[in-house]
Amino acid sequence: MQAPGLYINPLTDFGFKKVFGDEEIMREFLNDLLKPVSPIKHVIFLNKDVQPENEALRGIVYDMRCQTEDGKEIIVEMQNRGQSFFNDRILYYLAHSISPQGYKGRLETESLDGDIIRESWNFDLKPVYGIFFLNFPLNGFQPRLIRTVRFMVEETQEIFNDKIRAYTVELPCMKGMREQDCKDAMDYWSYNLYNMETMNTQLPFTDQKPIFMKMAEVASYPNMNTEQQRIYMDSLNNYRTVMAAKEYVFSRGMKKGMEKGMKKGIIATAKKMKEFGLDTNSIAQMTDLSIDDINAL
């Protein structure tokens, strides 16, 4: 088994939660991705386990769930395994955090003169944003490092409602990327996250983003105690198993695709040979097709 390096792999379950479980790192990342008009000053981590209103429904355990000082709820997920309906999963996660905001009954507020005022909830929602790190290409879309999904009017591109957003960070886009190719803050974050496990020196871009010095400290394998190292190695083994399975499925698919393509080419060649009057036995010898297959062409 490959020994751990200077830094833990932040794409593992343990590594991701350790790195982004640091309030300062999470806050700096959110400011760089969301680019709010007023910088986020504080991040509060919320309970990651969200139970449904109905026992028959499925609950959710998020990787990270936090809230900014102005009430925005932000879900942050790391996904290493692709899914057929991942777009639907994103919608489900966001809707699951929006729906509990509905107030049942009547709200009570106290006026300046001490009177109790009762009024119905007016559907004023707090924003919910989902940030999804993907270690795979999003199915059905062109590769893109950062993808922002918002609720818009199709005809005019106006924002219909900005209380719900999804961001995908497609990390395989960093494959083959060099330090000198990185141009902005999200390039810096993605490069370090994608390559950190193989780095043996100080993380790059600390001049541009001093927070990476803190991230190097948090992600240092030697700095962890024995129990943390044990938990991390279990998480790393699970990650490597998932990645090996993905690689196997991909290579099998490529092999089958190549075999299918080659067979189509051989059949097309055999058809041409028949059209030119070449006898069946000669075609069979040159193409390895059976006599029956050739006769069926």
Side-chain angles (χ1 to χ4, degrees):
M1 182 177 65
Q2 182 182 347
L6 178 60
Y7 302 112
I8 61 175
N9 186 333
L11 308 188
T12 63
D13 183 66
F14 176 90
F16 185 79
K17 291 172 182 175
K18 191 171 194 309
V19 169
F20 284 102
D22 182 273
E23 191 272 344
E24 186 180 1
I25 293 174
M26 177 68 88
R27 174 165 39 87
E28 287 289 316
F29 172 78
L30 293 178
N31 277 318
D32 283 336
L33 176 65
L34 303 180
K35 299 181 178 65
V37 175
S38 298
I40 298 168
K41 297 179 181 178
H42 303 288
V43 172
I44 301 169
F45 290 99
L46 305 175
N47 185 358
K48 297 180 288 186
D49 189 353
V50 179
Q51 296 301 319
E53 296 179 8
N54 187 323
E55 291 183 1
L57 300 176
R58 178 178 177 177
I60 294 177
V61 180
Y62 300 117
D63 285 341
M64 308 295 299
R65 180 170 168 253
C66 57
Q67 189 177 66
T68 61
E69 66 267 19
D70 60 354
K72 291 185 180 71
E73 181 179 325
I74 302 175
I75 302 157
V76 186
E77 286 275 309
M78 177 69 232
Q79 297 292 329
N80 285 306
R81 203 189 301 259
Q83 293 183 351
S84 299
F85 299 102
F86 192 78
N87 299 9
D88 288 352
R89 178 172 177 166
I90 289 175
L91 287 177
Y92 181 76
Y93 274 24
L94 295 176
H96 214 287
S97 287
I98 282 281
S99 61
Q101 295 186 35
Y103 190 87
K104 297 178 180 178
R106 299 178 71 82
L107 299 170
E108 292 189 356
T109 58
E110 186 174 347
S111 66
L112 292 175
D113 56 8
D115 293 333
I116 299 299
I117 302 172
R118 293 178 176 85
E119 56 185 355
S120 298
W121 178 60
N122 62 359
F123 293 89
D124 184 18
L125 296 170
K126 292 291 186 182
V128 175
Y129 298 164
I131 301 169
F132 301 87
F133 288 88
L134 309 181
N135 204 0
F136 53 88
L138 189 60
N139 189 36
F141 293 86
Q142 291 294 320
R144 186 178 183 85
L145 178 61
I146 306 297
R147 185 180 291 104
T148 304
V149 182
R150 301 170 80 175
F151 196 14
M152 304 179 73
V153 179
E154 181 176 352
E155 292 80 4
T156 62
Q157 301 300 297
E158 296 170 284
I159 302 297
F160 183 78
N161 189 306
D162 205 27
K163 299 291 181 72
I164 186 167
R165 292 188 207 169
Y167 297 84
T168 59
V169 184
E170 206 168 292
L171 292 172
C173 290
M174 302 307 294
K175 188 174 183 179
M177 192 91 151
R178 303 168 300 172
E179 286 184 37
Q180 57 266 37
D181 297 326
C182 298
K183 306 301 182 187
D184 57 30
M186 288 311 301
D187 283 349
Y188 305 153
W189 281 100
S190 302
Y191 182 90
N192 279 338
L193 292 170
Y194 191 71
N195 295 291
M196 187 185 299
E197 186 186 15
T198 61
M199 295 179 183
N200 293 309
T201 58
Q202 177 63 50
L203 297 183
F205 315 119
T206 54
D207 288 342
Q208 297 91 332
K209 299 291 301 178
I211 189 63
F212 291 143
M213 290 187 284
K214 174 72 176 290
M215 192 159 78
E217 179 184 341
V218 170
S220 170
Y221 179 80
N223 284 353
M224 296 194 301
N225 61 39
T226 302
E227 179 62 10
Q228 288 175 322
Q229 290 179 351
R230 183 192 66 77
I231 296 171
Y232 167 64
M233 290 307 297
D234 287 343
S235 182
L236 181 62
N237 289 337
N238 290 336
Y239 170 81
R240 288 173 175 168
T241 299
V242 169
M243 300 308 290
K246 283 173 56 178
E247 181 62 29
Y248 174 77
V249 170
F250 176 77
S251 61
R252 289 282 297 174
M254 286 290 291
K255 183 178 179 182
K256 286 184 177 179
M258 289 176 66
E259 289 174 350
K260 188 175 181 181
M262 289 175 65
K263 182 132 189 202
K264 284 184 177 179
I266 291 171
I267 290 173
T269 301
K271 283 183 177 179
K272 286 292 184 184
M273 289 178 176
K274 283 191 74 173
E275 290 173 6
F276 283 111
L278 204 61
D279 65 274
T280 302
N281 287 332
S282 297
I283 297 173
Q285 290 176 0
M286 286 185 278
T287 63
D288 286 331
L289 294 175
S290 69
I291 299 295
D292 290 340
D293 285 342
I294 295 169
N295 288 334
L297 294 177

